Amino acid sequence: NESELSKNIKRITSLIGNLRSGILVENENREIVFTNETFCKIFGIPVAPLQLIGADCSSSAEETKGLFKDPVGFISRVNELLESKQQATGDVLEMADGRVLERDFVPVFVDETYRGHLWNYTDITEKQRIITAVADSEAKSRLIMNSALDAIITINHQGNVTLWNPQSEKIFGWT
């Protein structure tokens, strides 16, 4: 039923349009089929997503490479993904302005015929900062623990020893 198909297309468009990730869908000719506001914000595109539909993206990687910390690597990976037409998830991209993005590439095949692809960009800058801060904190804690003159032992809520320092090994004769 054409009415039901139309409703489903509107539903999917609305769903993708409201994702927190930047979405760009291109057809097999690299023309934009769909993009969302988040994509435009991530890449500083000053027009509404609807205005981009039909635009040719064949040179967009080259035009935007300056936004990335490793422009040559960015171009190389985009070309590799487009050529292989193999799904790739979790590519981490460092931006020249300090932001960090995670990118997924999803090729679209209909009846085994390539019909385009979807790019999904998520800003993971804050997540990366937290991971780095936790790792730094853990490293400092290990340093303090390993250089302490007293025995330091941590025990979990089940009563099992989970961590000890070298001084504990000396005092208790553990190896």
Side-chain angles (χ1 to χ4, degrees):
N1 172 329
E2 202 168 309
S3 174
E4 193 61 32
L5 178 61
S6 178
K7 285 180 189 175
N8 284 337
I9 289 171
K10 286 179 183 176
R11 212 176 269 126
I12 291 169
T13 301
S14 176
L15 173 69
I16 294 173
N18 289 301
L19 290 175
R20 288 182 17 212
S21 296
I23 303 293
L24 175 67
V25 179
E26 298 174 342
N27 66 19
E28 63 273 20
N29 300 316
R30 304 270 339 258
E31 297 165 337
I32 295 176
V33 175
F34 180 83
T35 190
N36 65 1
E37 185 68 34
T38 305
F39 180 85
C40 292
K41 285 180 184 175
I42 287 173
F43 292 102
I45 299 170
V47 298
L50 286 174
Q51 291 179 280
L52 296 173
I53 293 178
D56 182 356
C57 288
S58 56
S59 62
S60 61
E62 189 65 39
E63 293 167 2
T64 61
K65 70 182 181 183
L67 297 174
F68 296 90
K69 194 172 184 179
D70 176 12
V72 174
F74 171 72
I75 293 288
S76 174
R77 181 66 172 149
V78 165
N79 290 335
E80 176 187 325
L81 292 170
L82 291 170
E83 187 175 312
S84 74
K85 295 176 178 60
Q86 297 292 313
Q87 182 170 334
T89 58
D91 282 355
V92 175
L93 306 168
E94 294 183 50
M95 305 293 285
D97 65 6
R99 291 178 296 153
V100 181
L101 304 179
E102 185 173 83
R103 176 184 61 203
D104 300 332
F105 173 79
V106 182
V108 178
F109 288 90
V110 177
D111 298 327
E112 298 184 29
T113 301
Y114 178 70
R115 295 293 182 196
H117 47 267
L118 177 143
W119 299 99
N120 177 18
Y121 291 89
T122 305
D123 188 332
I124 61 166
T125 307
E126 192 57 33
K127 178 180 172 183
Q128 289 296 100
R129 283 187 186 135
I130 290 169
I131 289 169
T132 300
V134 168
D136 289 349
S137 176
E138 287 174 351
K140 287 176 188 173
S141 294
R142 273 193 301 280
L143 180 64
I144 291 168
M145 215 170 138
N146 289 335
S147 60
L149 298 176
D150 294 326
I152 300 175
I153 301 168
T154 60
I155 300 172
N156 67 16
H157 66 281
Q158 296 162 329
N160 299 319
V161 174
T162 57
L163 189 64
W164 61 88
N165 68 344
Q167 194 63 19
S168 301
E169 293 176 356
K170 290 179 188 173
I171 292 172
F172 296 107
W174 297 340
T175 54

